[in-house]
PDB file of all heavy atoms in Angstrom:
ATOM      1  N   HIS K  29       5.767  -1.758 -13.297  1.00 98.00           N
ATOM      2  CA  HIS K  29       5.155  -0.385 -13.372  1.00 98.00           C
ATOM      3  C   HIS K  29       5.719   0.218 -14.825  1.00 98.00           C
ATOM      4  O   HIS K  29       6.563   0.897 -14.933  1.00 98.00           O
ATOM      5  CB  HIS K  29       5.714   0.449 -12.280  1.00 98.00           C
ATOM      6  CG  HIS K  29       5.260  -0.026 -10.868  1.00 98.00           C
ATOM      7  ND1 HIS K  29       4.041   0.162 -10.516  1.00 98.00           N
ATOM      8  CD2 HIS K  29       5.977  -0.520  -9.948  1.00 98.00           C
ATOM      9  CE1 HIS K  29       3.974  -0.282  -9.284  1.00 98.00           C
ATOM     10  NE2 HIS K  29       5.057  -0.732  -8.872  1.00 98.00           N
ATOM     11  N   ASP K  30       4.865  -0.233 -15.779  1.00 97.00           N
ATOM     12  CA  ASP K  30       5.246   0.022 -17.189  1.00 97.00           C
ATOM     13  C   ASP K  30       4.970   1.414 -17.582  1.00 97.00           C
ATOM     14  O   ASP K  30       3.822   1.833 -17.560  1.00 97.00           O
ATOM     15  CB  ASP K  30       4.482  -1.003 -18.036  1.00 97.00           C
ATOM     16  CG  ASP K  30       4.831  -0.921 -19.476  1.00 97.00           C
ATOM     17  OD1 ASP K  30       5.633  -0.145 -19.988  1.00 97.00           O
ATOM     18  OD2 ASP K  30       4.241  -1.735 -20.301  1.00 97.00           O
ATOM     19  N   PRO K  31       6.059   2.147 -18.022  1.00 97.00           N
ATOM     20  CA  PRO K  31       5.840   3.473 -18.425  1.00 97.00           C
ATOM     21  C   PRO K  31       4.796   3.567 -19.535  1.00 97.00           C
ATOM     22  O   PRO K  31       4.086   4.641 -19.666  1.00 97.00           O
ATOM     23  CB  PRO K  31       7.187   3.967 -18.854  1.00 97.00           C
ATOM     24  CG  PRO K  31       8.163   3.070 -18.138  1.00 97.00           C
ATOM     25  CD  PRO K  31       7.513   1.670 -18.011  1.00 97.00           C
ATOM     26  N   ALA K  32       4.675   2.565 -20.450  1.00 95.00           N
ATOM     27  CA  ALA K  32       3.752   2.594 -21.527  1.00 95.00           C
ATOM     28  C   ALA K  32       2.240   2.405 -21.040  1.00 95.00           C
ATOM     29  O   ALA K  32       1.361   2.674 -21.756  1.00 95.00           O
ATOM     30  CB  ALA K  32       4.055   1.562 -22.531  1.00 95.00           C
ATOM     31  N   ARG K  33       2.138   1.928 -19.783  1.00 96.00           N
ATOM     32  CA  ARG K  33       0.861   1.802 -19.191  1.00 96.00           C
ATOM     33  C   ARG K  33       0.654   2.751 -17.941  1.00 96.00           C
ATOM     34  O   ARG K  33       0.009   2.355 -17.031  1.00 96.00           O
ATOM     35  CB  ARG K  33       0.649   0.303 -18.722  1.00 96.00           C
ATOM     36  CG  ARG K  33       0.594  -0.704 -19.906  1.00 96.00           C
ATOM     37  CD  ARG K  33      -0.876  -0.632 -20.438  1.00 96.00           C
ATOM     38  NE  ARG K  33      -1.034  -1.693 -21.522  1.00 96.00           N
ATOM     39  CZ  ARG K  33      -2.156  -1.880 -22.147  1.00 96.00           C
ATOM     40  NH1 ARG K  33      -3.298  -1.298 -21.716  1.00 96.00           N
ATOM     41  NH2 ARG K  33      -2.266  -2.662 -23.144  1.00 96.00           N
ATOM     42  N   ALA K  34       1.139   3.961 -18.165  1.00 97.00           N
ATOM     43  CA  ALA K  34       1.018   4.870 -17.024  1.00 97.00           C
ATOM     44  C   ALA K  34       1.574   4.365 -15.707  1.00 97.00           C
ATOM     45  O   ALA K  34       1.016   4.613 -14.648  1.00 97.00           O
ATOM     46  CB  ALA K  34      -0.505   5.345 -16.781  1.00 97.00           C
ATOM     47  N   HIS K  35       2.648   3.705 -15.876  1.00 98.00           N
ATOM     48  CA  HIS K  35       3.337   3.108 -14.661  1.00 98.00           C
ATOM     49  C   HIS K  35       2.555   2.193 -13.915  1.00 98.00           C
ATOM     50  O   HIS K  35       2.621   2.052 -12.622  1.00 98.00           O
ATOM     51  CB  HIS K  35       3.977   4.196 -13.861  1.00 98.00           C
ATOM     52  CG  HIS K  35       5.132   4.876 -14.538  1.00 98.00           C
ATOM     53  ND1 HIS K  35       4.897   6.036 -15.223  1.00 98.00           N
ATOM     54  CD2 HIS K  35       6.497   4.639 -14.692  1.00 98.00           C
ATOM     55  CE1 HIS K  35       6.023   6.342 -15.845  1.00 98.00           C
ATOM     56  NE2 HIS K  35       6.985   5.607 -15.419  1.00 98.00           N
ATOM     57  N   GLY K  36       1.558   1.470 -14.648  1.00 97.00           N
ATOM     58  CA  GLY K  36       0.838   0.386 -13.909  1.00 97.00           C
ATOM     59  C   GLY K  36       1.339  -0.976 -14.632  1.00 97.00           C
ATOM     60  O   GLY K  36       2.310  -1.015 -15.269  1.00 97.00           O
ATOM     61  N   PRO K  37       0.508  -2.056 -14.262  1.00 96.00           N
ATOM     62  CA  PRO K  37       0.993  -3.391 -14.777  1.00 96.00           C
ATOM     63  C   PRO K  37       0.939  -3.358 -16.345  1.00 96.00           C
ATOM     64  O   PRO K  37       0.092  -2.784 -17.063  1.00 96.00           O
ATOM     65  CB  PRO K  37      -0.077  -4.244 -14.189  1.00 96.00           C
ATOM     66  CG  PRO K  37      -1.237  -3.418 -13.889  1.00 96.00           C
ATOM     67  CD  PRO K  37      -0.707  -2.031 -13.548  1.00 96.00           C
ATOM     68  N   PRO K  38       1.801  -4.259 -16.887  1.00 96.00           N
ATOM     69  CA  PRO K  38       1.966  -4.257 -18.307  1.00 96.00           C
ATOM     70  C   PRO K  38       0.985  -5.301 -19.024  1.00 96.00           C
ATOM     71  O   PRO K  38       1.037  -5.385 -20.247  1.00 96.00           O
ATOM     72  CB  PRO K  38       3.465  -4.771 -18.472  1.00 96.00           C
ATOM     73  CG  PRO K  38       3.630  -5.706 -17.332  1.00 96.00           C
ATOM     74  CD  PRO K  38       2.845  -5.045 -16.085  1.00 96.00           C
ATOM     75  N   ASN K  39       0.182  -5.951 -18.259  1.00 96.00           N
ATOM     76  CA  ASN K  39      -0.706  -6.972 -18.803  1.00 96.00           C
ATOM     77  C   ASN K  39      -1.939  -7.115 -18.018  1.00 96.00           C
ATOM     78  O   ASN K  39      -2.227  -6.173 -17.128  1.00 96.00           O
ATOM     79  CB  ASN K  39      -0.010  -8.334 -18.841  1.00 96.00           C
ATOM     80  CG  ASN K  39       0.628  -8.660 -17.422  1.00 96.00           C
ATOM     81  OD1 ASN K  39      -0.104  -8.463 -16.388  1.00 96.00           O
ATOM     82  ND2 ASN K  39       1.862  -9.124 -17.347  1.00 96.00           N
ATOM     83  N   GLY K  40      -2.786  -8.066 -18.332  1.00 96.00           N
ATOM     84  CA  GLY K  40      -4.055  -8.278 -17.599  1.00 96.00           C
ATOM     85  C   GLY K  40      -4.034  -9.284 -16.550  1.00 96.00           C
ATOM     86  O   GLY K  40      -5.121  -9.681 -16.092  1.00 96.00           O
ATOM     87  N   LEU K  41      -2.855  -9.631 -16.028  1.00 97.00           N
ATOM     88  CA  LEU K  41      -2.831 -10.558 -14.907  1.00 97.00           C
ATOM     89  C   LEU K  41      -3.301  -9.844 -13.670  1.00 97.00           C
ATOM     90  O   LEU K  41      -2.945  -8.718 -13.388  1.00 97.00           O
ATOM     91  CB  LEU K  41      -1.323 -10.977 -14.691  1.00 97.00           C
ATOM     92  CG  LEU K  41      -0.674 -11.929 -15.783  1.00 97.00           C
ATOM     93  CD1 LEU K  41       0.762 -12.251 -15.438  1.00 97.00           C
ATOM     94  CD2 LEU K  41      -1.524 -13.200 -16.093  1.00 97.00           C
ATOM     95  N   ALA K  42      -4.104 -10.656 -12.904  1.00 97.00           N
ATOM     96  CA  ALA K  42      -4.527 -10.148 -11.534  1.00 97.00           C
ATOM     97  C   ALA K  42      -3.364  -9.768 -10.643  1.00 97.00           C
ATOM     98  O   ALA K  42      -3.294  -8.743  -9.943  1.00 97.00           O
ATOM     99  CB  ALA K  42      -5.440 -11.071 -10.925  1.00 97.00           C
TER     100      ALA K  42
END
Side-chain angles (χ1 to χ4, degrees):
H29 298 289
D30 185 357
R33 289 278 179 178
H35 293 92
N39 52 45
L41 294 176

